[in-house]
Amino acid sequence: MSSFVFILKEQVKNIYLIKRLANFEIRIANTNNYLGTAWELINPMIQIAIYWFIFGLGFRSNQQIEGIPFIYWLIVGISMWFFINQGILDGTRSITMKYYQVAKMNFPISILPSYIVVSKFYSHLVLLGIITLICFIAGFTPSIYLIQLLIFIPYALLLSISIAIFTSTLNVIIRDTQMIIQALMRMLFFVSSILYLPDNKIVINIIKYNPIYFLAEGYRSATLNKEWFFINNWDLVIYNFVFLIITFVIGAYVNFKYRDYFSDFM
C-alpha cells in the first residue's frame, strides 16, 4: 500500500511537469515531418478508411449495426483505440528510452510513461471532437447522454497510464515485454467490439471482460445510441473500475520495488 500511495502522490505532485513534457514530446516527435502534428490525425483517418473498406464494404456490404450505419459505428468505437494502443506501446518503452536522460537527476521516474501517454491523449481529444462533428453532420445530434464521455475519457487515460507504468517497468527487467505487449494489443483489438459484434452470446459475454469493449460501447452509447450505458451496465462499470485500481496498484508496486535497480538492468 505504501508503494501505491507513493506513486499516486508522485503523479499528482508532478501533473504540471507531465503536461509540459507531453507538449514537448509532441513537438519533437513530429519535428522532421513536413505536416508535423497533422500526422497524429492523418494516420488514424487512413486506418479508419481501410477498416471501413474491408469490414464495412467487404464483409458486411455496408449493413447497419444496431440500426447505425457501419462507418459511424466504427469511427466512434475505434477513436479511443488509437489513443490506448499507441499510448500503451510507447509508454511501455518509455523508461528504456528516456532513463539515461534523467538518471543523474532527482527525477520522478514513474511519470516517464505518464507523460508519454498524455502526449497521445491530446490528439485523441482532437480526433474525438472531429468524429463528434462528423456524426452531428450525419444527423446524430449531441444530447445529454454525451456527458457520459466525462466518465469514459478519463477512464481511458487512467487505464493507459496504469498499464504503461507496469509494462514500462517490466520492459526494463524483461526486454521481450515490448514484443509481448504488441502481440497482446493486436489480440485485444480483435477480441473486442471495435470492428464487429458477435452473435454468439457466450462470445459476447467473454468479450465484455475486455476493458476495450467497455470503452467502445461507452463511447457509442454517449454519441450514437443515446442511452445511459453506465447505468444500464452498472456491473461492467464496477468491474472495470476495480480492474483499473488493481492495475495501478500492481504497476505502482513493481515500479516502486525496482526503480532503484533500473541502472543495473539497463
Side-chain angles (χ1 to χ4, degrees), residues 28-124:
I28 64 173
N30 298 281
T31 187
N32 294 322
N33 299 328
Y34 286 112
L35 296 180
T37 55
W39 280 110
E40 300 289 335
L41 298 176
I42 295 174
N43 274 329
M45 292 300 184
I46 293 174
Q47 292 184 57
I48 287 173
I50 294 172
Y51 290 134
W52 172 72
F53 180 78
I54 296 175
F55 292 93
L57 292 180
F59 290 161
R60 302 190 55 84
S61 300
N62 216 26
Q63 295 177 3
Q64 294 185 348
I65 295 184
E66 299 179 326
I68 299 169
F70 181 79
I71 183 60
Y72 304 114
W73 186 87
L74 171 66
I75 61 176
V76 173
I78 204 173
S79 60
M80 57 80 206
W81 171 256
F82 296 119
F83 159 60
I84 291 181
N85 181 56
Q86 202 60 51
I88 291 176
L89 291 180
D90 288 357
T92 297
R93 55 177 176 261
S94 60
I95 296 180
T96 55
M97 291 180 60
K98 307 288 186 180
Y99 179 75
Y100 284 119
Q101 299 177 17
V102 300
K104 296 183 179 180
M105 297 186 292
N106 184 21
F107 189 87
I109 296 296
S110 72
I111 75 166
L112 286 176
S114 300
Y115 88 76
I116 295 296
V117 171
V118 172
S119 71
K120 306 300 177 184
F121 183 64
Y122 295 141
S123 60
H124 169 60

Side-chain angles (χ1 to χ4, degrees), residues 10-24:
E10 196 168 66
Q11 298 290 316
V12 175
K13 183 180 178 181
N14 294 283
I15 285 181
Y16 180 67
L17 179 59
I18 291 173
K19 180 181 177 182
R20 288 185 59 189
L21 290 173
N23 292 333
F24 180 73

Side-chain angles (χ1 to χ4, degrees), residues 121 145-159 214-215 218-219 222 228-231 236-238 240-241 244:
F121 183 64
Y145 299 99
L146 202 63
I147 65 173
Q148 293 178 97
L149 291 178
L150 296 178
I151 296 175
F152 299 114
I153 293 175
Y155 180 86
L157 175 62
L158 295 176
L159 178 66
F214 173 70
L215 287 168
Y219 274 51
W228 295 112
F229 183 84
F230 74 99
I231 295 177
L236 279 182
V237 174
I238 294 174
N240 280 279
F241 275 90
L244 172 63

